[in-house]
Amino acid sequence: MASLYRYKRPAICSFVALCIIAVFAIMSSSGRLEKVSVIRPAKSHSSGTVKEEFSLADLFQTRDIDNDLDNSDGEYDEDDAPKAINKHLNPQSRIVYNRVGKCGSRTVLEILRNLVKRNGFDLYSSQINNVTHLSLIGQVELVNIISSLQPPFIYQRHFHFIDFPKFGAIEPVYINIIRDPVDRFISQYYFKRFGDGISNRRFYKGPPENLNMTINECVLSNDPECRSSKLFYIIPFFCGHDERCRTASRWSLEKAISNLEEKFLVVGFIEDLEASLQVLEILLPQMFEGAAEIYKLPAASKTARTSTKHKVAATEEVRNILKSRLPYEYEFYDFAKKKFEVIKGQLKIVSPKR
């Protein structure tokens, strides 16, 4: 039988180095390791799913590193490959959704929770929601925790793109959902102040007198909260952890586009969510089969629960001002939109009329 996988010594060195760094991270970061929750199909037919919590340390203590390194400096046949390695190398069974904030991800997660039992996969969710740009140790920790999960799974968290092969790890399949940059910013602006139908928690940290300031007042008064540096948000989720990714520039835009082309299987749109789910169903049926059907079910509370509260519509003038402050974000958005339309055409998917 023809050989299926080839492992070279440089890759092993990278993996060993990754393990050493991860052990150091565990020893030096007591009390701050990432906590993860998982929703998985229940073994008993009496209930649909179960929820568990664990940390990186729990996974690392049970990881069989010797098994990962076995047979790693030559070629071997598929029949000789450890089953765990075969499963981890199945690209459609290891999905990472590094979700962009205020781009409909709560709606998508509700759909995924319904699909866990139906399609038989695990949905892992980080309990860290407010750290998107990670330190080097933080990246290693996240790569290790995702690499230690048993497929099939979807792992979701707000974080900027991480290049797994850079750390000697097997690359997962990345997916994401984005939206019009101005709409996203307006939603975030009010969400920080008033929450949504699920959470009343406020994340606003500005001057108390600005709490009830509308988006129109913020933009027209040129308040710092609505200036360009505060608007740049979507591109880093695709650009990555290079420090240059944190600044709006031609370089960060081109890096984000390059990663979108090479590292992401699907980037859908909240404005075209039904079609986005249909694309995911075709390309990742193991996880997403039935997603569009669930989305179309009559559930008026679904949108109400995830919609931002007390949102005052921006005037056309304010929208134009915001858009003028987001040239790179819109160039990325337009590029991603064209790519998505090409995929829809290839799969013969027609977006529903609004």
Side-chain angles (χ1 to χ4, degrees):
M1 177 183 289
S3 62
L4 183 60
Y5 312 120
R6 179 189 295 270
Y7 288 81
K8 299 181 180 180
R9 290 190 182 277
I12 302 171
C13 294
S14 298
F15 181 80
V16 173
L18 184 63
C19 294
I20 293 172
I21 295 173
V23 171
F24 174 78
I26 292 172
M27 295 174 63
S28 63
S29 59
S30 178
R32 60 181 179 86
L33 287 170
E34 174 169 355
K35 290 288 185 179
V36 175
S37 66
V38 57
I39 298 175
R40 54 168 48 113
K43 294 181 180 179
S44 170
H45 293 292
S46 60
S47 59
T49 60
V50 293
K51 185 174 182 179
E52 302 171 6
E53 295 183 359
F54 56 89
S55 70
L56 172 63
D58 299 325
L59 287 171
F60 214 79
Q61 288 169 1
T62 59
R63 181 83 183 266
D64 187 354
I65 297 176
D66 291 335
N67 186 56
D68 288 333
L69 297 179
D70 192 29
N71 294 321
S72 56
D73 59 347
E75 298 183 358
Y76 55 86
D77 294 334
E78 181 178 9
D79 292 340
D80 298 325
K83 291 182 179 180
I85 293 180
N86 276 331
K87 289 173 68 178
H88 278 274
L89 286 174
N90 178 358
Q92 291 201 357
S93 67
R94 305 173 63 251
I95 312 301
V96 170
Y97 176 22
N98 65 321
R99 56 193 184 110
V100 180
K102 303 314 298 172
C103 288
S105 56
R106 289 195 182 210
T107 298
V108 175
L109 290 180
E110 283 206 10
I111 294 170
L112 288 176
R113 293 185 189 105
N114 280 280
L115 292 174
V116 165
K117 177 66 175 178
R118 173 172 177 164
N119 295 340
F121 65 89
D122 294 342
L123 175 62
Y124 290 91
S125 301
S126 172
Q127 295 180 18
I128 299 174
N129 296 311
N130 58 353
V131 180
T132 57
H133 196 82
L134 310 179
S135 66
L136 179 60
I137 291 298
Q139 294 176 61
V140 169
E141 178 183 322
L142 190 53
V143 167
N144 267 279
I145 201 168
I146 293 174
S147 298
S148 298
L149 302 178
Q150 290 298 311
F153 69 80
I154 296 177
Y155 178 91
Q156 67 86 13
R157 174 185 168 176
H158 296 300
F159 71 93
H160 296 165
F161 170 79
I162 295 176
D163 188 4
F164 278 62
K166 173 183 175 181
F167 296 94
I170 297 169
E171 192 164 49
V173 173
Y174 271 98
I175 63 171
N176 220 317
I177 303 287
I178 61 175
R179 74 190 294 187
D180 178 274
V182 167
D183 288 337
R184 194 217 66 80
F185 176 73
I186 294 173
S187 181
Q188 177 180 277
Y189 179 87
Y190 286 107
F191 178 78
K192 287 193 301 183
R193 287 163 163 76
F194 308 113
D196 58 17
I198 295 176
S199 172
N200 290 319
R201 183 180 176 187
R202 291 181 176 180
F203 299 91
Y204 178 70
K205 298 179 180 179
E209 61 271 19
N210 288 353
L211 175 63
N212 294 310
M213 182 169 59
T214 68
I215 189 70
N216 297 314
E217 294 168 337
C218 180
V219 172
L220 294 177
S221 66
N222 203 29
D223 188 89
E225 188 177 0
C226 294
R227 291 178 191 165
S228 299
S229 61
K230 299 291 185 180
L231 303 177
F232 184 68
Y233 185 84
I234 296 175
I235 283 177
F237 282 84
F238 298 87
C239 181
H241 281 80
D242 188 298
E243 284 302 307
R244 290 172 290 182
C245 292
R246 308 183 78 173
T247 304
S249 68
R250 176 60 51 182
W251 186 91
S252 61
L253 167 65
E254 292 179 352
K255 183 63 175 177
I257 287 176
S258 175
N259 285 337
L260 170 67
E261 288 271 70
E262 298 176 7
K263 304 292 186 178
F264 285 78
L265 178 64
V266 178
V267 175
F269 292 82
I270 193 63
E271 301 94 336
D272 200 3
L273 186 54
E274 184 176 332
S276 299
L277 294 172
Q278 290 174 345
V279 168
L280 288 165
E281 280 197 51
I282 294 173
L283 298 183
L284 297 170
Q286 183 178 3
M287 313 294 191
F288 284 92
E289 184 179 4
E293 175 187 341
I294 291 174
Y295 176 68
K296 289 187 289 186
L297 290 175
S301 61
K302 179 172 62 179
T303 301
R305 288 183 63 206
T306 58
S307 296
T308 301
K309 290 182 176 179
H310 307 305
K311 192 189 300 183
V312 177
T315 65
E316 194 65 28
E317 177 189 7
V318 164
R319 290 188 65 89
N320 288 335
I321 292 173
L322 287 172
K323 188 170 184 177
S324 71
R325 295 174 180 176
L326 289 165
Y328 294 120
E329 293 270 285
Y330 269 99
E331 192 169 339
F332 178 81
Y333 175 82
D334 291 339
F335 179 90
K337 192 75 172 175
K338 290 178 182 177
K339 180 177 175 63
F340 182 67
E341 291 299 325
V342 169
I343 293 174
K344 282 170 50 182
Q346 292 173 338
L347 299 179
K348 296 180 171 52
I349 292 175
V350 179
S351 299
K353 294 181 179 179
R354 300 178 188 176

